Amino acid sequence: MAYWGEDLQLAQIYFTNDVPAKQGKTILNAADAETKGAELEITAVPVSELNINFAVAYLDAKYTKFDYLQPNGATIDLKGTDLQNAPKVTANAGFSYRVAVGKGFIGFGVQDRYTDSNYFTSLLNMPRSKVQAMNYIDVNVDWTPKDDSKFDVSIWGRNVTDRRYIASVVDAPGVMGLVNYMPPREYGMTVNSKW
C-alpha cells in the first residue's frame, strides 16, 4: 500500500519573541509526502465458542518535499522527516470465549493493544513532542440471555495493568509544551437495553 500526497496542509501553533510572548496559529503547505505501509489481520475460530484475533500494521510516512518556513524567517528542509502522529507499528491481539450457563451465555474476552512511539504535534519532531509507545490490556465478562431478551450486561476493565502514558503533546518550540495523559486503570459495568 502506498499513498502520495501533494500540498498537504498542516496546523502550526507558535509563540512570538515579543515581551510578553504572543501565541499565533497558522496553516502551512507541507508540499509533498509519501506514506507506505502494510497490514495483516488474522481471525481464527478453532471451536465455535472461541474466537482468536490478531492484527499488525506497519507505516512509513515521510515528507518528500517540505521547505519549512519558521516564524523567525529561516527555512529548514524537512525532506525525509516523519509525519506527525504516524506510529511505525500498531498491533492488537486477543480472544473471546462464550459458554452456555443456565438461562444465558457468559462471554470472556481479553484484548492487548500496542501503538509505537510517534511525534504528536511538532513539525520539527522535537524530543519533547514525542509520545512513548503504549501497550494496553482490556478485559470483559458479558452475560446474554438465551431467550433473546432485550438486554445484556457487561463488566469490563480497561488498562488493567494500570500503565501510565502520555496521550498527546502540544509543543510550542522555545516556549512551552502541554501534555495530556491517558486514563489510568478503569473498571465499569454496562447494561444494554433495547426497546
Side-chain angles (χ1 to χ4, degrees):
M1 172 184 72
Y3 168 78
W4 292 268
E6 295 181 355
D7 297 325
L8 298 180
Q9 291 188 321
L10 300 172
Q12 180 191 32
I13 299 173
Y14 63 88
F15 287 80
T16 67
N17 293 325
D18 300 332
V19 179
K22 297 175 184 173
Q23 179 184 353
K25 298 178 184 177
T26 187
I27 299 294
L28 299 176
N29 275 339
D32 303 335
E34 181 181 33
T35 301
K36 298 180 287 187
E39 185 173 358
L40 172 68
E41 292 186 25
I42 299 173
T43 300
V45 186
V47 293
S48 61
E49 298 86 2
L50 178 63
N51 188 302
I52 301 171
N53 67 280
F54 171 78
V56 61
Y58 172 77
L59 181 67
D60 183 23
K62 297 184 182 299
Y63 299 112
T64 56
K65 181 182 177 184
F66 187 4
D67 294 324
Y68 169 59
L69 178 63
Q70 299 182 88
N72 65 7
T75 301
I76 300 175
D77 183 5
L78 294 183
K79 179 180 178 179
T81 303
D82 290 337
L83 269 65
Q84 299 168 294
N85 198 21
K88 294 280 187 192
V89 177
T90 55
N92 67 76
F95 74 90
S96 60
Y97 186 73
R98 188 181 188 216
V99 293
V101 177
K103 296 183 178 181
F105 297 95
I106 292 183
F108 305 91
V110 176
Q111 284 291 320
D112 190 339
R113 300 175 286 131
Y114 173 81
T115 303
D116 213 351
S117 61
N118 63 92
Y119 294 97
F120 197 78
T121 56
S122 172
L123 297 179
L124 302 177
N125 290 352
M126 302 299 287
R128 72 177 181 176
S129 72
K130 189 172 187 178
V131 175
Q132 75 293 295
M134 294 181 268
N135 188 29
Y136 287 104
I137 298 175
D138 301 333
V139 299
N140 65 282
V141 179
D142 306 321
W143 183 81
T144 306
K146 288 181 180 178
D147 62 3
D148 197 26
S149 296
K150 296 182 177 180
F151 78 97
D152 58 70
V153 178
S154 177
I155 298 172
W156 47 264
R158 299 188 184 114
N159 186 19
V160 294
T161 55
D162 200 26
R163 304 296 297 270
R164 305 300 173 100
Y165 293 120
I166 294 172
S168 63
V169 177
V170 176
D171 181 40
V175 183
M176 61 184 288
L178 302 174
V179 175
N180 178 40
Y181 289 90
M182 294 293 285
R185 179 190 295 126
E186 297 178 297
Y187 294 108
M189 183 173 72
T190 302
V191 178
N192 294 313
S193 179
K194 308 171 189 175
W195 65 87

